[in-house]
Amino acid sequence: MNKKIFTDMLSRRFEYLRISVTDRCNYRCSYCMPSDVFNKDYSYIAQNKILSYEEIIHLCSILKRVGLKKVRLTGGEPLLRKNIDKLVHKLKTESAIDNISMTTNGSLLTDSKLEQLKSSGLDSITLSLDTLDSGNITKLNGTKKHFDIDAVLTAIEKHFTVVKTNTVVIKGINDNEVLDIIKKISPLKSEIRFIEYMDVGESNNWNFSKIIPSQELYNLISSKYELLAIETDKSSTSKKWLMKNTDASIGFISSITEPFCIDCNRARLSVDGKIFTCLFATEGHDIKKIIRANRTDEDILNYFYKLWSNRSDRYSEIRFLQKKDLPKVEMSYIGG
Ligand code: SAM
Ligand code: SF4
Ligand code: SF4
């Protein structure tokens, strides 16, 4: 198959796969898995429906042939999945993925876990950190207590050199912490990213009044620090600024106010083996069925090729133009 023509209807290449390795999480963030919906009666994906590591590795090896360069392990909380370091190692050595990253809530990170992940071949780790305030953690993340933030930041820096963080900013909840978070992280070599609260899934009761536009945050931060624009990769989700005289950068992921669909090179693989060509998709495509039917690699490739060739998603660009909202899948299932 000719790599050069592996583009979608909007001429976008496929290069990046985000994999949800589990739909379970030990947190109940109000914006992702609110506790009133994700309670003891919630039905998670059954064990026999979850893609095995072998199946993930097999699929990634095939997709590597048509341009897959980068894989992000996410979920749910990826560190809840047993032996995740083994998956990292095989993705690197057997599937030959150039760049493997992970997003985690950090609660299960220790110095030795980080060392293990690094030596398995993980290239970078992103820590979700919405608050430094122990009074806010329950409201935001639905957990009782913070992990030791300083210890985790030090260990990430030790093993991965760069500390990358994600903060979802919600009006009236943690917007007053933005400068504190920067103050804490910017002395480190770091990439500090602020995410506009997104309307993912059906359970978080999202509405526009809860978001803080990135421009507002930029104005706030630049009134205190000198920010120098940095060129970012075309397909990057964030716009970045270097904080002058530091090793830290600030990034904004502005899915609501500045959509970046035009260069979106990402697909998602749900925990039960469905490909989603957009974070806001209503339906996935059951590639696991093809894999489990023992079809040839060429068949699997053709299935994916058809999906990507027919892709025209650009939800963030048309979010406010749509006449009716179709139901969306949850982020923990599809992979954040
Ligand atoms: N459990 C891991 C974690 O929290 O880092 C990985 C999965 S989580 C779904 C991945 C990322 O999605 C996190 O950084 C989280 O803050 C972000 N996220 C989840 N729901 C979101 C929403 N409604 N809007 C914006 N970002 C969201
Ligand atoms: Fe769990 Fe991450 Fe979702 Fe929070 S954002 S509930 S930590 S999956
Ligand atoms: Fe990509 Fe869909 Fe997000 Fe647009 S809305 S950037 S197409 S995942």
Side-chain angles (χ1 to χ4, degrees), residues 18 22 24-27 29-33 72-79 102-106 126-130 141 165-170 193 195-201 204 206 253 279 331-333 335-336:
R18 296 191 181 209
T22 175
R24 291 168 189 262
C25 188
N26 54 343
Y27 278 16
C29 301
S30 58
Y31 53 77
C32 177
M33 296 177 76
R72 178 170 297 273
L73 302 176
T74 176
E77 175 47 46
L79 292 174
M102 179 184 285
T103 307
T104 170
N105 64 28
T126 300
L127 175 70
S128 297
L129 188 68
D130 297 326
N141 303 122
T165 59
N166 275 354
T167 301
V168 180
V169 183
I170 305 181
R193 306 196 308 171
I195 309 180
E196 283 178 351
Y197 180 20
M198 293 185 280
D199 50 335
V200 200
N204 62 13
W206 181 91
I253 302 179
L279 175 59
M331 204 173 197
S332 47
Y333 160 74

Side-chain angles (χ1 to χ4, degrees), residues 135-178:
N136 231 355
I137 184 110
T138 306
K139 207 187 312 171
L140 264 163
N141 303 122
T143 183
K144 287 204 182 72
K145 200 165 134 278
H146 242 316
F147 50 86
D148 183 340
I149 299 176
D150 289 317
V152 165
L153 292 175
T154 306
I156 294 178
E157 193 188 27
K158 177 173 150 197
H159 297 290
F160 286 88
T161 317
V162 184
V163 174
K164 300 184 180 187
T165 59
N166 275 354
T167 301
V168 180
V169 183
I170 305 181
K171 198 179 236 166
I173 309 280
N174 63 344
D175 48 330
N176 58 347
E177 288 200 58
V178 166

